[in-house]
Coordinates of all heavy atoms in Angstrom, one line a residue:
D1 N 0.8 -1.2 0.0 CA 0.0 0.0 0.0 C 0.9 1.3 0.0 O 0.7 2.2 -0.8 CB -0.9 0.0 1.2 CG -1.8 1.2 1.3 OD1 -2.2 1.7 0.2 OD2 -2.1 1.6 2.4
G2 N 1.8 1.3 0.9 CA 2.7 2.5 1.0 C 3.5 2.7 -0.3 O 3.7 3.8 -0.8
Y3 N 4.0 1.6 -0.9 CA 4.8 1.7 -2.1 C 3.9 2.3 -3.2 O 4.4 3.2 -4.0 CB 5.3 0.3 -2.5 CG 5.9 0.2 -3.9 CD1 7.3 0.6 -4.0 CD2 5.3 -0.2 -5.0 CE1 7.9 0.5 -5.2 CE2 5.9 -0.3 -6.2 CZ 7.2 0.1 -6.4 OH 7.8 0.0 -7.6
L4 N 2.7 1.8 -3.4 CA 1.9 2.3 -4.5 C 1.5 3.8 -4.3 O 1.6 4.6 -5.2 CB 0.6 1.5 -4.5 CG 0.7 0.0 -4.9 CD1 -0.6 -0.8 -4.7 CD2 1.2 -0.1 -6.4
R5 N 1.2 4.1 -3.0 CA 0.9 5.5 -2.8 C 2.1 6.5 -3.0 O 1.9 7.6 -3.5 CB 0.3 5.7 -1.4 CG -1.0 5.0 -1.2 CD -1.6 5.2 0.2 NE -2.7 4.3 0.4 CZ -3.9 4.5 -0.1 NH1 -4.2 5.5 -0.8 NH2 -4.9 3.6 0.2
T6 N 3.3 6.0 -2.6 CA 4.5 6.8 -2.8 C 4.7 7.1 -4.3 O 5.2 8.1 -4.7 CB 5.7 6.1 -2.2 OG1 5.5 6.0 -0.8 CG2 7.0 6.9 -2.5
R7 N 4.3 6.1 -5.1 CA 4.5 6.2 -6.6 C 3.3 6.9 -7.3 O 3.3 7.1 -8.5 CB 4.8 4.9 -7.2 CG 6.1 4.3 -6.8 CD 6.5 3.1 -7.7 NE 6.6 3.5 -9.1 CZ 6.9 2.7 -10.1 NH1 7.1 1.4 -9.8 NH2 7.0 3.1 -11.4
G8 N 2.3 7.3 -6.5 CA 1.2 8.0 -7.1 C 0.2 7.1 -7.9 O -0.5 7.5 -8.7
I9 N 0.3 5.8 -7.6 CA -0.6 4.8 -8.3 C -1.9 4.7 -7.6 O -2.0 4.4 -6.4 CB 0.2 3.4 -8.4 CG1 1.4 3.5 -9.2 CG2 -0.8 2.3 -8.9 CD1 2.3 2.4 -9.2
R10 N -3.0 4.9 -8.4 CA -4.3 4.8 -7.9 C -5.2 3.7 -8.5 O -6.2 3.3 -7.9 CB -5.0 6.1 -8.1 CG -4.3 7.3 -7.4 CD -4.2 7.2 -5.9 NE -5.4 6.9 -5.3 CZ -5.5 6.2 -4.2 NH1 -4.5 5.6 -3.6 NH2 -6.7 6.0 -3.6
D11 N -4.8 3.3 -9.7 CA -5.6 2.3 -10.5 C -4.8 1.0 -10.6 O -3.6 1.0 -11.0 CB -5.9 2.8 -11.9 CG -6.7 4.1 -11.8 OD1 -7.6 4.2 -11.0 OD2 -6.4 5.0 -12.6
L12 N -5.4 -0.1 -10.2 CA -4.8 -1.4 -10.2 C -5.5 -2.4 -11.1 O -6.8 -2.5 -11.0 CB -4.7 -2.0 -8.8 CG -3.8 -1.3 -7.8 CD1 -3.9 -2.0 -6.5 CD2 -2.4 -1.2 -8.3
T13 N -4.8 -3.1 -11.9 CA -5.4 -4.3 -12.7 C -4.7 -5.5 -12.1 O -3.4 -5.5 -12.0 CB -5.1 -4.2 -14.2 OG1 -5.8 -3.0 -14.7 CG2 -5.7 -5.4 -14.9
L14 N -5.5 -6.5 -11.7 CA -4.9 -7.7 -11.1 C -5.2 -8.9 -12.0 O -6.2 -9.0 -12.7 CB -5.6 -8.0 -9.8 CG -5.1 -7.3 -8.5 CD1 -5.4 -5.8 -8.6 CD2 -5.7 -7.9 -7.3
A15 N -4.2 -9.8 -12.0 CA -4.3 -11.1 -12.8 C -3.4 -12.1 -12.1 O -2.5 -11.7 -11.3 CB -3.8 -10.9 -14.2
G16 N -3.7 -13.4 -12.2 CA -2.8 -14.4 -11.7 C -3.6 -15.5 -11.1 O -4.7 -15.9 -11.4
L17 N -3.0 -16.1 -10.0 CA -3.4 -17.4 -9.4 C -3.5 -17.2 -7.9 O -2.6 -16.6 -7.3 CB -2.5 -18.5 -9.8 CG -2.2 -18.8 -11.3 CD1 -1.1 -19.8 -11.5 CD2 -3.5 -19.2 -11.9
A18 N -4.5 -17.7 -7.3 CA -5.7 -18.2 -7.9 C -6.8 -17.2 -7.7 O -6.8 -16.5 -6.7 CB -6.1 -19.5 -7.2
T19 N -7.7 -17.1 -8.6 CA -8.8 -16.1 -8.6 C -9.5 -16.1 -7.3 O -9.9 -15.1 -6.8 CB -9.8 -16.4 -9.8 OG1 -9.1 -16.6 -11.0 CG2 -10.8 -15.3 -9.9
D20 N -9.8 -17.3 -6.8 CA -10.7 -17.4 -5.6 C -9.9 -17.3 -4.3 O -10.6 -17.3 -3.2 CB -11.5 -18.7 -5.6 CG -10.7 -19.9 -6.1 OD1 -9.6 -19.8 -6.7 OD2 -11.1 -21.1 -6.0
F21 N -8.6 -17.2 -4.3 CA -7.9 -17.0 -3.0 C -7.0 -15.7 -3.1 O -7.5 -14.7 -2.7 CB -7.1 -18.3 -2.7 CG -8.0 -19.3 -2.1 CD1 -8.5 -20.3 -3.0 CD2 -8.3 -19.4 -0.8 CE1 -9.4 -21.3 -2.5 CE2 -9.2 -20.3 -0.3 CZ -9.7 -21.3 -1.2
C22 N -5.8 -15.8 -3.6 CA -4.9 -14.7 -3.5 C -5.3 -13.5 -4.4 O -5.2 -12.3 -4.0 CB -3.5 -15.1 -3.8 SG -2.9 -16.3 -2.5
V23 N -5.9 -13.8 -5.6 CA -6.4 -12.7 -6.4 C -7.6 -12.0 -5.7 O -7.6 -10.8 -5.6 CB -6.7 -13.1 -7.8 CG1 -7.4 -12.0 -8.6 CG2 -5.5 -13.6 -8.6
H24 N -8.5 -12.8 -5.2 CA -9.7 -12.3 -4.5 C -9.3 -11.4 -3.4 O -9.8 -10.3 -3.2 CB -10.5 -13.5 -4.1 CG -11.5 -13.3 -3.0 ND1 -11.8 -14.2 -2.1 CD2 -12.2 -12.2 -2.7 CE1 -12.7 -13.8 -1.2 NE2 -13.0 -12.6 -1.6
Y25 N -8.5 -12.0 -2.4 CA -8.2 -11.2 -1.2 C -7.4 -9.9 -1.5 O -7.6 -8.9 -0.9 CB -7.4 -12.1 -0.2 CG -8.3 -13.0 0.5 CD1 -8.7 -14.3 0.0 CD2 -8.8 -12.7 1.8 CE1 -9.5 -15.1 0.7 CE2 -9.6 -13.6 2.5 CZ -10.0 -14.8 2.0 OH -10.8 -15.6 2.7
S26 N -6.5 -10.0 -2.5 CA -5.7 -8.8 -2.9 C -6.7 -7.8 -3.5 O -6.5 -6.6 -3.2 CB -4.7 -9.2 -3.9 OG -3.7 -10.1 -3.4
A27 N -7.6 -8.2 -4.3 CA -8.5 -7.2 -5.0 C -9.4 -6.5 -4.0 O -9.6 -5.3 -4.0 CB -9.4 -7.9 -6.0
V28 N -10.0 -7.3 -3.0 CA -10.9 -6.8 -2.0 C -10.1 -5.8 -1.1 O -10.6 -4.7 -0.8 CB -11.6 -7.9 -1.2 CG1 -12.3 -7.3 0.0 CG2 -12.6 -8.6 -2.1
D29 N -8.9 -6.2 -0.7 CA -8.1 -5.3 0.1 C -7.8 -4.0 -0.6 O -7.8 -2.9 0.0 CB -6.8 -6.0 0.6 CG -7.1 -6.9 1.8 OD1 -8.1 -6.8 2.4 OD2 -6.2 -7.7 2.1
A30 N -7.4 -4.1 -1.9 CA -7.1 -2.9 -2.7 C -8.2 -2.0 -2.7 O -8.1 -0.8 -2.6 CB -6.6 -3.3 -4.1
A31 N -9.4 -2.5 -3.0 CA -10.6 -1.7 -3.1 C -10.9 -1.0 -1.7 O -11.3 0.1 -1.6 CB -11.8 -2.5 -3.5
R32 N -10.8 -1.8 -0.6 CA -11.0 -1.3 0.7 C -10.0 -0.2 1.0 O -10.4 0.8 1.8 CB -10.9 -2.4 1.7 CG -11.1 -2.1 3.2 CD -11.2 -3.3 4.1 NE -10.0 -4.1 4.0 CZ -8.9 -3.8 4.8 NH1 -8.9 -2.8 5.6 NH2 -7.8 -4.6 4.7
L33 N -8.8 -0.2 0.5 CA -7.8 0.8 0.7 C -8.0 2.0 -0.2 O -7.2 3.0 -0.1 CB -6.4 0.2 0.5 CG -6.0 -0.8 1.6 CD1 -4.7 -1.6 1.1 CD2 -5.7 -0.1 2.9
G34 N -9.0 2.0 -1.0 CA -9.3 3.1 -1.8 C -8.8 3.1 -3.3 O -8.9 4.1 -4.0
F35 N -8.2 2.0 -3.7 CA -7.7 2.0 -5.1 C -8.9 1.6 -6.0 O -9.9 1.0 -5.6 CB -6.6 0.9 -5.2 CG -5.4 1.2 -4.5 CD1 -5.2 0.8 -3.2 CD2 -4.4 2.0 -5.1 CE1 -4.0 1.1 -2.5 CE2 -3.2 2.3 -4.4 CZ -3.0 1.8 -3.1
S36 N -8.8 2.0 -7.2 CA -9.7 1.6 -8.3 C -9.2 0.3 -8.8 O -8.0 0.2 -9.3 CB -9.7 2.7 -9.4 OG -10.5 2.2 -10.5

């Protein structure tokens, strides 16, 4: 989170393995932290 904010990144596209575990949790956390 800190790394992305320091670089001014606000929009994230996620891809990878597995959709229902690590992709899912990463995406939900990113949205909760205010990223698009």
Side-chain angles (χ1 to χ4, degrees):
D1 180 33
Y3 173 81
L4 295 171
R5 291 183 194 284
T6 298
R7 291 195 61 182
I9 294 168
R10 302 299 309 148
D11 301 317
L12 295 177
T13 299
L14 277 68
L17 304 172
T19 311
D20 41 344
F21 285 93
C22 296
V23 173
H24 160 216
Y25 281 83
S26 298
V28 169
D29 279 347
R32 183 171 57 84
L33 289 166
F35 293 94
S36 175

